[in-house]
Amino acid sequence: MKLINQFTLWYLCISAIVLLAGGMIVFYSVQREIIDEEGRRLKDTVKLIAGLLEKGTEIDDIAGHQVIIRELDPAAAEIPVQIKDTLAWFEPHQHFERELRASASYKIKDKHYFIAASNLVAESDEILDGVLQSIGWIFGLLLLVVALSGRLLSKAILTPFQHTLSAIQAFHLKQKDPIPFTTTRTDEFKTLNTFLGKMTTKALEDYRSLKEFTENASHELQTPLAIMRGKLELLLNSPITDTQAQLLADAHQAVDKLSQVNKSLTLLARLENQEFESSQVIDVSQLTLDTLSTFAELMEMKNLTLKTKIEADVFVQLHAVLASILLNNLISNAIRHNSTDGFIYVTLTPATLIIQNTGNPPQLPTHQLFERFKKSNQSNDSIGLGLAIVKQICDVSRFQIKYVYAEELHTVELNFSTKR
Amino acid sequence: MKVLVIEDNKTIAHTIQEYLSGEGYICEVGFTYFEAENKLISFPYDCVVLDIMLPDGNGLDILRFIRAEKIETSVLIISAKNALDDKITGLDLGADDYLTKPFHLPELHARLKAIYRRKNLKGDTSITYQEISINTDTLEVLVNGSLLDLTKKEYDLLLYFLINKNRVLTRQSIAEHLWGDYTDNLANFDFVYQHVKNLRKKISAAGGKEYIGTVYGLGYKFDTSIAT
């Protein structure tokens, strides 16, 4: 929900509550005012009539509509002025109406008069109707004004914020310059921009130094490794005894492994650095077929049966180098961890790539096999980075991957279509 | 074949020099950009082995220099930076191949040979050793005149052996040669053994000698002393 809509909604909720409370107050005070005022007026009328009677005016001249004058027993006590709020039959409308009546008795010239003056007043529900109607109108007006002015104002006030937002969205670690923020007079946005500016500059610097470190580390390690390997290879070809050859072989193997690990870790670091932008579109169908044919001889040697269901023209956005590493690793894994006379099933649809193979059950929970240096069989010679690289490639390319072992089949399922 | 190795690390440069000299090449080394330019202007080379990172310049600029001066030579880039950009720029600038450090010396040799063959021996596309003859154009192998039915990998393997005669080829080096980079999953595979076994079988079936010997614990060697 947009910020402005939230503000508007909350504001209107609060206004509604305040208006309701206000309405109650208006209702009660208006009602009280009417009753008080009318009561006072009626009392005055009663007193006025009493005054007239004292002056000697005839009762018949005064009595009439809404005024009653009656004679009481002169011995009875005087009734003080009192107001009564009652209902009275209203002839023209044929129903009861609210009526206010002031009554009193006065002893004037040895006679005892009872005087009552009454008047119809507005009923509570009528007042309520009026109050509700006006509040309704006020609320409607408020709604209109708040919605309109809110939008216009927020557009004006939030413009720098929108700029900042779009600048952050466009931000990429690989860009060379920090984000250019527009200047603003709002303090909060100033703080935000300064903070973001510092943060992105720091991120850019960190990214750069990480990248440099990766490249340097790779270079600094590769050079001594190259020397060691080169010297060992020269030594291998010099006249040596069998014992020396064995010693050399072990050293040579260690160097090979070290350089493999280094190469793979460098690749992983570069993947994490997002150095492989996948703007290209790859024909996965063709690549899968090519990769399978590269490994055909290996499958033959292990007497594996390959069954494929590869749909043609499956195109996926992926860096060419990553695509071939991905397929190489997955297919060579399926061969390597297979049992002799086993099976490999490769299924490719526009949405998924599924590679299944027979082989020993994994000795680790399958999801752990994606972690670095985790191997189902710790004693074997692989360095245990193949699947970690696969996972990293999937993460970078926003594919989903899962590894399941069920019904004696290792299944790696890659989902291309889950691009976020 | 005359080779110039441009590499700032003297140990590596000398290692390459020693290996290539052992193969009968005339091999010179240059450690700096300046030295490299001087040598390139003064002497002709069949091939230049070029490191990208030099203390006083970028190896890619040497490529540009070779191009600008119209110097006739092939270039093989060796770099510790496995950066794809360098690879593409290098090949765009006219380099013939690209090899990432650390490489196996037999691999470097095989690549140099391949470049050399491609560029210099126009028409002559056969490599012959005794009864074995390889046609690098048609990818055909003849042993005692009869055609050998080899798979692509076996062909590559035999060529690798023939180029690196009398050299110990480790299993790792063979695996990398046959399957390229990221052979992590295959490195210690029995597949190298299987390929070698099949290749031996096919050669001896055609009456060829058992040149390919096992070097215990290390790998294999194409041994020419068998011939005599």
Side-chain angles (χ1 to χ4, degrees):
Chain A
M1 198 187 226
K2 272 193 157 181
L3 197 61
I4 176 65
N5 291 344
Q6 290 195 37
F7 267 125
T8 311
L9 218 67
W10 274 105
Y11 182 70
L12 287 176
C13 277
I14 292 165
S15 307
I17 292 168
V18 171
L19 279 177
L20 244 106
M24 301 273 276
I25 294 166
V26 168
F27 169 70
Y28 282 113
S29 52
V30 163
Q31 176 162 278
R32 209 182 53 233
E33 276 303 305
I34 288 175
I35 301 281
D36 282 1
E37 189 57 40
E38 195 58 37
R40 210 162 32 240
R41 204 177 59 78
L42 287 172
K43 273 185 199 166
D44 287 350
T45 309
V46 169
K47 279 178 193 159
L48 188 79
I49 291 170
L52 285 174
L53 284 174
E54 207 153 352
K55 278 182 190 158
T57 317
E58 285 299 311
I59 295 172
D60 293 344
D61 289 349
I62 309 162
H65 183 59
Q66 292 180 334
V67 175
I68 299 165
I69 302 172
R70 219 168 45 229
E71 276 188 44
L72 293 177
D73 180 10
E78 267 190 357
I79 304 163
V81 182
Q82 58 183 358
I83 299 283
K84 252 166 105 186
D85 195 348
T86 58
L87 289 176
W89 183 255
F90 186 55
E91 199 61 41
H93 286 178
Q94 289 288 310
H95 68 96
F96 286 99
E97 286 274 329
R98 190 180 187 180
E99 192 191 54
L100 214 58
R101 176 192 287 255
S103 61
S105 71
Y106 295 91
K107 289 183 174 161
I108 304 165
K109 295 172 188 167
D110 304 333
K111 283 186 176 169
H112 194 180
Y113 295 103
F114 172 80
I115 306 165
S118 64
N119 200 7
L120 297 176
V121 291
E123 278 168 79
S124 314
D125 55 344
E126 284 162 353
I127 300 171
L128 195 65
D129 271 358
V131 169
L132 280 182
Q133 239 178 52
S134 21
I135 287 183
W137 276 106
I138 294 174
F139 188 74
L141 219 64
L142 213 59
L143 194 83
L144 203 75
V145 171
V146 166
L148 276 177
S149 64
R151 259 155 191 75
L152 290 175
L153 275 174
S154 85
K155 208 170 187 182
I157 296 175
L158 290 182
T159 310
F161 183 66
Q162 299 288 5
H163 278 304
T164 307
L165 258 189
S166 52
I168 300 174
Q169 272 170 346
F171 177 68
H172 198 289
L173 272 179
K174 280 168 120 180
Q175 73 190 42
K176 289 200 175 70
D177 307 311
I179 302 182
F181 287 116
T182 47
T183 47
T184 163
R185 276 182 308 182
T186 317
D187 283 345
E188 283 87 346
F189 295 157
K190 265 188 216 163
T191 320
L192 180 71
N193 284 357
T194 320
F195 171 70
L196 282 175
K198 269 189 200 154
M199 210 171 71
T200 48
T201 315
K202 179 90 176 62
L204 284 176
E205 274 169 14
D206 284 356
Y207 174 75
R208 229 166 313 181
S209 62
L210 182 68
K211 208 175 129 164
E212 266 170 32
F213 173 77
T214 312
E215 282 186 6
N216 290 346
S218 152
H219 181 250
E220 295 308 322
L221 278 175
Q222 298 291 51
T223 310
L225 278 171
I227 295 173
M228 281 158 77
R229 187 183 259 180
K231 294 297 179 199
L232 283 173
E233 271 169 3
L234 285 178
L235 203 54
L236 284 179
N237 289 298
S238 60
I240 45 171
T241 66
D242 280 356
T243 347
Q244 284 168 332
Q246 193 52 52
L247 293 175
L248 274 179
D250 292 346
H252 192 267
Q253 255 171 34
V255 170
D256 278 340
K257 196 157 182 176
L258 197 56
S259 81
Q260 280 291 348
V261 171
N262 188 34
K263 216 185 250 181
S264 302
L265 285 179
T266 312
L267 177 68
L268 276 170
R270 297 178 62 210
L271 281 169
E272 269 168 14
N273 270 352
Q274 313 263 331
E275 280 181 42
F276 297 92
E277 273 288 290
S278 45
S279 51
Q280 300 157 275
V281 172
I282 290 283
D283 184 348
V284 181
S285 310
Q286 192 54 47
L287 189 65
T288 309
L289 290 173
D290 290 348
T291 313
L292 284 173
S293 77
T294 317
F295 288 110
E297 286 184 65
L298 298 187
M299 294 186 213
E300 212 174 290
M301 284 178 189
K302 246 187 158 169
N303 204 16
L304 304 177
T305 312
L306 172 68
K307 290 195 174 150
T308 58
K309 214 157 83 188
I310 296 173
E311 282 185 34
D313 299 326
V314 175
F315 288 93
V316 169
Q317 192 179 332
L318 184 60
H319 197 285
V321 174
L322 299 190
S324 66
I325 295 174
L326 186 74
L327 279 165
N328 267 339
N329 280 358
L330 285 178
I331 292 173
S332 58
N333 256 345
I335 298 171
R336 182 192 178 100
H337 300 293
N338 219 322
S339 39
T340 318
D341 303 321
F343 287 87
I344 295 179
Y345 305 96
V346 179
T347 315
L348 179 71
T349 68
T352 51
L353 169 67
I354 302 171
I355 296 177
Q356 295 171 295
N357 64 276
T358 47
N360 293 330
Q363 281 151 17
L364 285 175
T366 48
H367 62 91
Q368 280 189 20
L369 292 171
F370 287 122
E371 290 169 27
R372 294 176 189 187
F373 301 110
K374 287 271 182 186
K375 298 182 278 187
S376 184
N377 180 0
Q378 287 295 337
S379 64
N380 75 21
D381 283 326
S382 75
I383 56 174
L385 284 173
L387 277 181
I389 290 173
V390 167
K391 178 81 169 75
Q392 193 71 45
I393 292 175
C394 290
D395 286 351
V396 169
S397 316
R398 296 196 257 285
F399 299 154
Q400 280 191 347
I401 187 162
K402 58 178 186 220
Y403 187 142
V404 183
Y405 180 78
E407 292 167 21
E408 301 188 344
L409 269 183
H410 297 261
T411 305
V412 175
E413 186 178 332
L414 231 163
N415 208 328
F416 306 126
S417 55
T418 49
K419 289 213 147 190
R420 273 162 284 180
Chain B
M1 182 150 94
K2 204 171 165 196
V3 179
L4 174 64
V5 177
I6 304 168
E7 158 73 63
D8 63 320
N9 187 302
K10 293 187 179 167
T11 322
I12 293 183
H14 286 308
T15 308
I16 296 173
Q17 189 183 29
E18 194 178 337
Y19 192 90
L20 293 181
S21 304
E23 294 294 331
Y25 291 40
I26 300 157
C27 188
E28 288 181 13
V29 288
F31 304 120
T32 61
Y33 185 94
F34 178 74
E35 226 177 308
E37 253 186 21
N38 263 345
K39 292 210 168 183
L40 279 168
I41 286 184
S42 318
F43 311 102
Y45 295 96
D46 295 306
C47 192
V48 176
V49 176
L50 177 63
D51 185 14
I52 295 273
M53 288 216 218
L54 293 173
D56 54 343
N58 189 322
L60 293 174
D61 289 331
I62 291 192
L63 268 177
R64 294 192 183 95
F65 173 78
I66 289 173
R67 215 188 209 183
E69 297 291 317
K70 296 199 169 62
I71 298 169
E72 282 237 359
T73 180
S74 318
V75 179
L76 171 66
I77 295 178
I78 48 170
S79 173
K81 277 212 274 177
N82 193 6
L84 196 75
D85 293 344
D86 278 354
K87 205 167 193 161
I88 291 168
T89 322
L91 296 180
D92 275 353
L93 284 173
D96 296 86
D97 208 348
Y98 188 105
L99 199 56
T100 310
K101 280 188 205 166
F103 45 81
H104 294 273
L105 289 171
E107 181 67 33
L108 174 74
H109 181 208
R111 300 274 186 115
L112 279 178
K113 262 273 160 70
I115 294 172
Y116 185 72
R117 260 202 323 273
R118 238 180 7 240
K119 284 222 166 169
N120 300 45
L121 303 174
K122 292 179 190 93
D124 182 14
T125 51
S126 70
I127 296 172
T128 309
Y129 177 74
Q130 302 284 5
E131 66 269 33
I132 303 173
S133 150
I134 299 184
N135 186 329
T136 56
D137 214 16
T138 58
L139 310 186
E140 278 174 346
V141 177
L142 298 175
V143 173
N144 288 326
S146 62
L147 190 66
L148 231 55
D149 179 25
L150 295 183
T151 64
K152 178 75 175 63
K153 292 271 182 282
E154 285 161 4
Y155 167 84
D156 288 342
L157 184 60
L158 180 60
L159 191 59
Y160 196 43
F161 271 126
L162 272 183
I163 287 168
N164 292 291
K165 290 190 284 281
N166 293 321
R167 294 284 192 183
V168 177
L169 300 180
T170 60
R171 281 186 297 253
Q172 177 73 30
S173 139
I174 293 174
E176 273 190 35
H177 181 74
L178 294 186
W179 285 284
D181 277 352
Y182 306 107
T183 48
D184 164 34
N185 292 310
L186 304 163
N188 294 291
F189 241 170
D190 295 335
F191 292 145
V192 173
Y193 165 75
Q194 290 272 9
H195 276 308
V196 173
K197 195 176 86 179
N198 289 348
L199 182 61
R200 274 175 180 158
K201 232 190 265 173
K202 287 179 182 176
I203 292 174
S204 56
K209 287 198 179 117
E210 293 257 359
Y211 294 111
I212 303 170
T214 306
V215 182
Y216 178 71
L218 279 173
Y220 305 93
K221 185 168 159 181
F222 190 95
D223 198 344
T224 51
S225 60
I226 303 286
T228 52

